[in-house]
Amino acid sequence: MVWLQLAVVLAFIYLGARLGSIGIGFAGAVGVGVLSLFFGLAPGGIPIDVILIIMSVIGAVAAMQVAGGLDYLVDLAERILRRNPNHITFMAPVVTYVMTMLAGTGHTAYSTLPVIAEVAHESGVRPSRPLSIAVIASQIAITASPVSAAVVVFSGFLEPYGVGYLELLLICIPTTFAAVMLTAVICNFLGVDLAKDPVYQERVKKGLIQKKEGEKRVLKDTGRTSVLIFIAAIVAVVIYATLISKNVGVIENPVLGRDNAIMIFMLAAATVITMITKIDASEILNAQTFKSGMSACVCVLGVAWLGNTFVGAHIDSIKAVAGDLLAGYPWLLAVTLFFASMLLYSQAATTRALMPAALLLVEPTTAIASFAAVSALFVLPTYPTLLAAVEMDDTGSTRIGNLVFNHPFFVPGVICITLCVALGFVVAPMVI
C-alpha cells in the first residue's frame, strides 16, 4: 500500500507539472483527496506559515514594483552589466542573485534576462553562458534570502536544535554565493563560441536576428524611495530576528515571534511605500510579481499539503528505512531534496514537506549543508524563468534539445548545487 500511495503522489505531481503554472497546486490538493478518501490517510498539515510569508513578502515586492522600484533596480543592473560587458558571465549571476536575495523571490530575474541576453550578444559572448548561470543563481539565492519562505520556515525547524536564524544565514549566504561564482567560471567554457555555433550562423543567414534598438526605460521618481523602504524592512527583519534569537538572548520571551514579525514588517513596508509614493493600491493586484506570488501560494498549498500527507502517515517507516542509510551517507539527503524539488517545483514546498522528517534522521549541520539542494527547479525545462531565458535569446544558443535534460541550465545547475552542498559541509560545522 505504501508503494501504491507513493505512486499516487507522483502521479498527481506529474499531472500538475503537465498542467503547468498554478496547476501543480490544483493537482496536489486533488492528490490529498485521493489519499484521504481512498486510502484512509489523515490529511497532512497545511503549510499556512509558508503561504502567509509568501503573501506578505510578495505584497511588499509588488508595491515596490508599482512604485517603480523594480524598474529602478533593473536600470541599475543594466548600467552595471553594460559597464562590464566582457565579464557578463560573472556579473549576470551577481545581479540576479542579489535581486532574489533581497526580494525573496526569483521572479525578479525576469526583467534582467533581456538585458543579459542583449549585452552578451553585443559583446560576442555566447548568451547561453550568462543566461544559464543567471537563472540558476536566481533559484539558489532563495536559500540565502532573509525573507524567503524557505529560509524562514527552515530556521523555524532548526530552532529546537539550537540553531538560529542568523547562523543559518551566515552559512547559506557565503556558501551559495561562492558556489554561484565558481560555477560562473565553468560556464565561461560551456558550449562553442557564439561565432562558431551552427544554429546561430543559420539564424543570421535567414535574417532572424535583428539589431535591437535599446528601449529608453522611463523611471518613476518614486522608484528609489520604494527600494530604500523595502531594504530598510529587510534590515529590520534581520535585526529583530537576531535580537529574539535564543543564542543572542537580547529579547527573552518575545511577544512577537519571528514569522509574525516578518509578515508585519513586510506589510508595513507595503503600507509605507503606498502612502509615501502615493500609488494606487488597486494597481498592486495587477503587478506581475503579485500574480506570480499568489500563484506560488496555491502551488505551495497543493504540493506541500500532498507531501505532508504522505510523509506524516509513514514517518516511522521512513525513519526506520532511511535512518541508518543517512547515518552512513549523509550526502544522500541532498540527493533526496534534489529530486523532490525537481518534482515539487518550489523551494518552500520542498523544505516544508521534507525537512521536519530529515531533522529526525540527520544532524542539523547535515540538513543545513544539504539545504541548497531544494533549488533543483531547473531540471525539467518548464520553469518560468528558464523558459523566459530561452525566449529572450534570439541567437538560438539558449535552446532546449529533443531530450528532456539536454538544455543549457542542467549542467550549471547540478554543478552549482553540488558545490553549495560541498561548501555547506565544510562551513556549517565551523559556524554551529
Side-chain angles (χ1 to χ4, degrees):
M1 292 299 291
V2 172
W3 290 107
L4 186 56
Q5 292 163 14
L6 179 60
V8 169
V9 171
L10 295 177
F12 279 98
I13 290 175
Y14 175 75
L15 173 61
R18 290 294 301 272
L19 293 175
S21 184
I22 200 172
I24 193 169
F26 297 158
V30 177
V32 174
V34 172
L35 291 178
S36 300
L37 296 175
F38 293 94
F39 293 92
L41 301 188
I46 297 175
I48 295 175
D49 48 357
V50 176
I51 294 170
L52 293 179
I53 290 167
I54 292 175
M55 289 176 65
S56 303
V57 173
I58 288 299
V61 172
M64 181 174 66
Q65 180 180 13
V66 172
L70 284 187
D71 284 339
Y72 171 79
L73 288 175
V74 172
D75 184 70
L76 185 63
E78 182 172 3
R79 279 184 277 159
I80 293 172
L81 293 173
R82 290 193 181 282
R83 199 175 297 135
N84 303 277
N86 295 327
H87 301 99
I88 185 70
T89 307
F90 301 101
M91 299 306 300
V94 172
V95 167
T96 56
Y97 181 97
V98 171
M99 289 182 68
T100 299
M101 188 177 72
L102 289 177
T105 171
H107 295 296
T108 54
Y110 287 121
S111 50
T112 61
L113 295 177
V115 178
I116 293 169
E118 186 179 340
V119 172
H121 187 197
E122 290 174 355
S123 306
V125 176
R126 183 181 178 88
S128 65
R129 294 169 179 171
L131 283 172
S132 61
I133 186 57
V135 169
I136 299 304
S138 72
Q139 295 183 3
I140 293 289
I142 291 292
T143 60
S145 171
V147 291
S148 75
V151 168
V152 174
V153 170
F154 187 34
S155 68
F157 295 153
L158 289 168
E159 280 186 348
Y161 298 89
V163 180
Y165 173 77
L166 190 60
E167 286 86 352
L168 178 61
L169 291 176
L170 287 174
I171 296 167
C172 292
I173 292 176
T175 55
T176 55
F177 184 76
V180 165
M181 298 316 296
L182 289 172
T183 307
V185 175
I186 298 172
C187 284
N188 232 11
F189 300 96
L190 295 180
V192 297
D193 291 341
L194 184 62
K196 299 177 182 178
D197 190 324
V199 174
Y200 172 68
Q201 293 173 344
E202 185 67 23
R203 292 177 70 85
V204 171
K205 288 179 183 177
K206 292 180 178 180
L208 298 176
I209 299 176
Q210 305 291 333
K211 176 146 182 83
K212 298 177 182 176
E213 294 292 332
E215 291 184 18
K216 184 66 177 174
R217 191 176 290 106
V218 179
L219 300 179
K220 295 182 179 179
D221 295 335
T222 54
R224 184 171 179 271
T225 301
S226 66
V227 170
L228 292 176
I229 294 170
F230 187 80
I231 292 176
I234 296 175
V235 173
V237 166
V238 175
I239 292 174
Y240 183 79
T242 303
L243 294 177
I244 66 173
S245 169
K246 292 180 180 178
N247 295 334
V248 177
V250 175
I251 301 176
E252 296 183 2
N253 303 316
V255 176
L256 188 64
R258 186 194 58 252
D259 290 7
N260 289 333
I262 289 176
M263 288 184 269
I264 289 173
F265 285 136
M266 288 293 105
L267 293 176
T271 303
V272 174
I273 289 172
T274 304
M275 290 175 60
I276 291 181
T277 63
K278 295 181 172 59
I279 59 174
D280 184 351
S282 64
E283 292 183 13
I284 296 173
L285 301 176
N286 297 318
Q288 183 56 47
T289 49
F290 186 85
K291 294 177 181 179
S292 300
M294 294 308 106
S295 173
C297 287
V298 176
C299 292
V300 169
L301 169 61
V303 295
W305 195 9
L306 178 61
N308 289 345
T309 299
F310 178 78
V311 172
H314 303 290
I315 186 63
D316 292 334
S317 300
I318 292 172
K319 287 166 63 177
V321 173
D324 292 339
L325 189 61
L326 287 174
Y329 306 96
W331 51 268
L332 284 177
L333 174 60
V335 176
T336 303
L337 295 173
F338 182 96
F339 285 105
S341 63
M342 179 183 81
L343 298 172
L344 296 179
Y345 257 39
S346 167
Q347 294 95 332
T350 305
T351 303
R352 187 68 179 79
L354 298 184
M355 278 304 192
L359 286 167
L360 296 175
L361 303 173
V362 299
E363 294 294 323
T365 51
T366 298
I368 296 171
S370 305
F371 182 40
V374 303
S375 299
L377 283 57
F378 57 83
V379 176
L380 299 176
T382 53
Y383 197 74
T385 48
L386 187 153
L387 293 175
V390 173
E391 182 119 349
M392 300 300 176
D393 181 11
D394 63 357
T395 68
S397 71
T398 312
R399 54 185 180 267
I400 299 172
N402 295 327
L403 303 176
V404 176
F405 303 111
N406 61 333
H407 55 79
F409 306 90
F410 185 79
V411 171
V414 172
I415 291 173
C416 192
I417 285 183
T418 301
L419 290 172
C420 284
V421 173
L423 291 171
F425 273 104
V426 172
V427 176
M430 298 167 60
V431 174
I432 299 175

